[in-house]
Amino acid sequence: ACGKVGQLMTSSVTQAHVSAGPLTLSETWRFTTIVSLTILLNTCLVVVEASYIQHAELKEMFHVLDAGFTVFYCCELGIRIHDCGWENFVFEKGNQLRNVFDSVLTAAGAIDTGMTIIGLNGSSGTIFGVVRIFRVTRVFRAVRF
């Protein structure tokens, strides 16, 4: 989030709240817990999808679930950008790499989902499909919380 999360990890919530001001939505315990659980659920889905990749009858269900996760990640990213402001989101010390990584993953996932919806999931679609594998790395972010 916007610099206060580090304080939350090292001090009590009341100290962080008093010293840094009110928490934004993306810095609340509830928000980070929901995001973390969603990331873990998405990771489980990737594992299940890999196990059933040969079952053509399940492809549509996996596409719908993946689109739902993509919408969630787009909303989560939008909330974080709104809470931090664009400059803080991009240039915040200590979180630049994570924020850029999340942005690239989310954008690539949105493009992949869009290409799947309009039926362009041929060779160019599989390039963006690799992004699904990288989404698993988000689980490290979930564990960090």
Side-chain angles (χ1 to χ4, degrees):
C2 307
K4 297 175 202 161
V5 171
Q7 291 175 330
L8 288 174
M9 297 297 130
T10 59
S11 64
S12 73
V13 174
T14 53
Q15 286 176 330
H17 181 74
V18 170
S19 65
L23 296 175
T24 60
L25 174 61
S26 63
E27 295 169 326
T28 63
W29 179 85
R30 192 170 282 145
F31 184 86
T32 56
T33 300
I34 290 169
V35 169
S36 297
L37 290 174
T38 302
I39 291 169
L40 291 172
L41 187 61
N42 186 214
T43 302
C44 292
L45 177 69
V46 169
V47 170
V48 170
E49 185 176 4
S51 299
Y52 290 96
I53 200 162
Q54 299 300 327
H55 297 273
E57 66 275 5
L58 298 176
K59 268 189 175 184
E60 183 66 30
M61 179 191 69
F62 287 127
H63 287 308
V64 169
L65 291 171
D66 190 51
F69 282 111
T70 299
V71 168
F72 177 85
Y73 292 134
C74 288
C75 292
E76 182 246 348
L77 187 66
I79 290 168
R80 285 180 32 219
I81 291 170
H82 176 268
D83 286 353
C84 294
W86 178 251
E87 284 188 25
N88 285 339
F89 182 80
V90 175
F91 299 112
E92 179 184 8
K93 282 237 187 253
N95 285 326
Q96 299 129 323
L97 187 59
R98 184 192 91 171
N99 289 342
V100 169
F101 181 73
D102 280 352
S103 298
V104 168
L105 274 181
T106 302
I111 292 168
D112 178 48
T113 299
M115 291 175 70
T116 300
I117 289 170
I118 62 173
L120 295 176
N121 52 357
S123 61
S124 60
T126 55
I127 293 169
F128 284 107
V130 172
V131 170
R132 290 184 188 133
I133 295 168
F134 287 112
R135 281 187 179 176
V136 173
T137 61
R138 286 182 184 226
V139 78
F140 298 116
R141 190 177 107 205
V143 171
R144 189 181 109 180
F145 292 115

